[in-house]
């Protein structure tokens, strides 16, 4: 076994001897890439709201690693009790049904954070859950996910 000490290409030379004078050797080439550790937080301005009011969510991405976060896509899925009103980020975004997708995000440098805002109108009373998914590329591997509960009276 071997432990990688840094990202990049690595080579391991393996030499094996067995009984009967059997010998073999090979080279194993690995390419280690580091992924950024990007976190996701969501908060709602009000603890509870009433039917007809606007709900405002603040979504914050933060890069707490030493690697640039690239090719990030953020999807925000509103529950059935909330009607989409607006999504703001300063970048590319699309609405598909109740899901706002922020795609082609600019690279997120180490220590950098970015804030997005989702606005929705409360349509039905009860508890409603906003779901957020941060992935690397559209339909790519999951980077982070979060939920936020909203009480509508």
């Amino acid at each position: 076994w071997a432990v990688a000490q840094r990202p990049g290409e690595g080579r391991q030379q393996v030499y094996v001897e067995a009984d009967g004078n059997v010998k073999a050797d090979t080279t194993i080439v690995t390419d280690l890439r580091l992924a950024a550790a990007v976190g996701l937080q969501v908060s709602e301005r009000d603890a509870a709201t009433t039917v007809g009011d606007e709900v405002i969510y603040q979504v914050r991405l933060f890069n707490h690693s030493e690697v640039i976060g690239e090719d990030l896509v953020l999807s925000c899925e509103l529950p059935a009790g909330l009607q989409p009103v607006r999504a703001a980020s300063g970048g590319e975004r699309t609405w598909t049904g109740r899901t706002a997708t922020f795609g082609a995000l600019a690279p997120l440098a180490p220590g950098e954070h970015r804030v997005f805002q989702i606005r929705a109108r409360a349509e039905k009373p009860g508890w409603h859950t906003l779901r957020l998914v941060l992935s690397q590329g559209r339909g790519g591997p999951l980077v982070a996910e979060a939920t936020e509960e909203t009480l509508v009276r």
Side-chain angles (χ1 to χ4, degrees):
W1 61 274
V3 177
Q5 298 296 318
R6 62 182 178 272
E9 186 176 287
R11 294 181 182 275
Q12 297 173 5
Q13 193 71 30
V14 180
Y15 179 77
V16 179
E17 285 188 31
D19 293 339
N21 202 27
V22 176
K23 299 176 184 177
D25 68 286
T26 190
T27 300
I28 300 169
V29 178
T30 58
D31 190 13
L32 178 64
R33 303 282 180 211
L34 295 180
V38 179
L40 177 62
Q41 292 177 330
V42 61
S43 61
E44 179 191 346
R45 186 183 65 190
D46 300 315
T49 191
T50 58
V51 171
D53 287 348
E54 195 170 272
V55 181
I56 301 171
Y57 297 99
Q58 295 282 57
V59 179
R60 184 174 175 255
L61 300 182
F62 52 95
N63 184 350
H64 51 86
S65 68
E66 296 180 10
V67 179
I68 295 173
E70 297 181 291
D71 196 24
L72 298 172
V73 175
L74 175 65
S75 295
C76 305
E77 182 183 333
L78 289 171
L82 300 177
Q83 179 66 34
V85 172
R86 183 170 177 254
S89 71
E92 173 195 332
R93 67 188 171 285
T94 57
W95 279 101
T96 305
R98 296 183 175 281
T99 302
T101 302
F102 301 92
L105 300 179
L108 194 62
E112 185 181 2
H113 75 276
R114 197 160 299 139
V115 178
F116 302 83
Q117 191 177 78
I118 304 291
R119 292 176 177 258
R121 181 123 6 250
E123 293 184 316
K124 298 178 187 176
W127 284 99
H128 304 287
T129 304
L130 173 74
R131 181 171 182 259
L132 300 122
V133 174
L134 182 65
S135 60
Q136 190 153 27
R138 293 189 190 275
L142 177 71
V143 174
E145 61 184 331
T147 58
E148 179 70 15
E149 295 281 328
T150 301
L151 175 60
V152 177
R153 299 177 194 262

